[in-house]
């Protein structure tokens, strides 16, 4: 089955530790995205990548880092510099098809709790 | 991207049609209207999108007003599994698009 996988579903870390969230897709999509969602709020964009070895900051990139070494993988590292890391993190991908309409496909999410 | 306004919450009886409104009065000519939903603790799910014409697929119908300043998502026969937060998003078809989700409408289907 084609889709997006995120692991783990739940993650617990101590304050001051870096943590990396995994996102893998086998949809052959060019673009991948990381969003953060806090309770009762909508999604906010952290980073996105249109092609391999290239990525751009979203609206709330501070305290986060990403890499895009392979088309199918877009891991997100939550660093100790992120002041409020506890949140629900969602990865998405989309197929760039020129000027045609598109839709983003989302993974199941990782709930990160930092204490 | 144009800003959207949606009611915070709505209820609908199971089996009835759920009509979810969205205002996007600043929409520009090349911007599409997209609808997503998010069931609790899951990733958002694409539902439908449109530009000018009304659209229908296996999940829902999208009605866009002639001036394009508002739209309505219709779930024709709501089930309990349709309980979710529904997001209306307006985005252009070009450039480095990013989906900015607002707070959406929390739809509760009542048995």
């Amino acid at each position: 089955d084609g889709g997006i996988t995120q692991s783990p579903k739940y993650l617990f870390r101590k304050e001051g530790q870096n943590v990396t969230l995994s996102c893998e897709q086998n949809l052959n999509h060019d673009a991948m995205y990381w969003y953060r969602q806090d309770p009762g709020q909508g999604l906010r964009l952290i980073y996105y990548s249109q092609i391999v070895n290239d990525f751009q900051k979203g609206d709330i990139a501070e305290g986060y880092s990403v890499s895009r070494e392979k088309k199918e993988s877009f891991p997100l590292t939550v660093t100790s510099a992120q002041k409020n890391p506890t949140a629900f993190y969602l990865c998405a991908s989309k197929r760039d098809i020129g000027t045609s309409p598109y839709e983003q496909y989302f993974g199941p999410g990782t709930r990160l709790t930092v204490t | 991207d144009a800003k959207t306004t949606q009611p915070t919450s709505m209820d609908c009886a199971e089996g009835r049609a759920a009509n979810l409104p969205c205002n996007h009065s600043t929409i520009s000519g090349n911007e599409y209207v997209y609808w997503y939903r998010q069931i609790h603790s899951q990733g958002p799910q694409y539902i439908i999108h449109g530009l000018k014409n009304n659209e229908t697929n296996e999940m829902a119908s999208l009605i866009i007003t002639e001036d394009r300043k508002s739209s309505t998502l219709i779930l024709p026969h709501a089930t309990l599994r349709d309980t979710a937060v529904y997001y209306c998003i307006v985005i252009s078809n070009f450039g480095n698009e990013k989906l900015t989700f607002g707070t959406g409408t929390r739809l509760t289907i009542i048995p």
Side-chain angles (χ1 to χ4, degrees), chain A residues 20-41:
Chain A
T20 297
L21 282 60
S22 165
C23 177
E24 304 278 331
Q25 54 98 357
N26 61 1
L27 300 165
N28 200 32
H29 285 177
D30 289 325
M32 297 186 73
Y33 303 78
W34 273 106
Y35 295 87
R36 167 188 173 134
Q37 187 174 40
D38 294 285
Q41 298 188 32

Side-chain angles (χ1 to χ4, degrees), chain A residues 7-8 32 40 77 90 92 100 102 113:
Chain A
S7 60
M32 297 186 73
T77 297
L90 285 154
S100 300
Y102 67 93
T113 302

Side-chain angles (χ1 to χ4, degrees), chain A residues 9 33 35 37 40-43 45 48 50 58-59 88 90 94 98-104 106-108 111, chain B residues 32 34 36 38 40-46 49 87 91-103 106:
Chain A
K9 189 164 177 64
Y33 303 78
Y35 295 87
Q37 187 174 40
Q41 298 188 32
L43 272 66
L45 181 66
Y48 62 101
Q50 298 287 339
D59 299 321
F88 188 46
L90 285 154
K94 82 170 176 75
T99 59
S100 300
Y102 67 93
E103 57 260 15
Q104 291 190 17
F106 284 81
R111 191 167 297 279
Chain B
Y32 287 75
Y34 277 76
Y36 284 74
Q38 188 173 20
H40 182 64
S41 292
Q42 296 183 24
Q45 177 189 22
Y46 164 81
H49 73 275
Y87 297 99
I91 46 179
S92 69
N93 192 24
F94 304 94
N96 293 326
E97 302 93 346
K98 52 184 181 181
L99 287 178
T100 303
F101 287 67
T103 53
R106 182 172 297 279

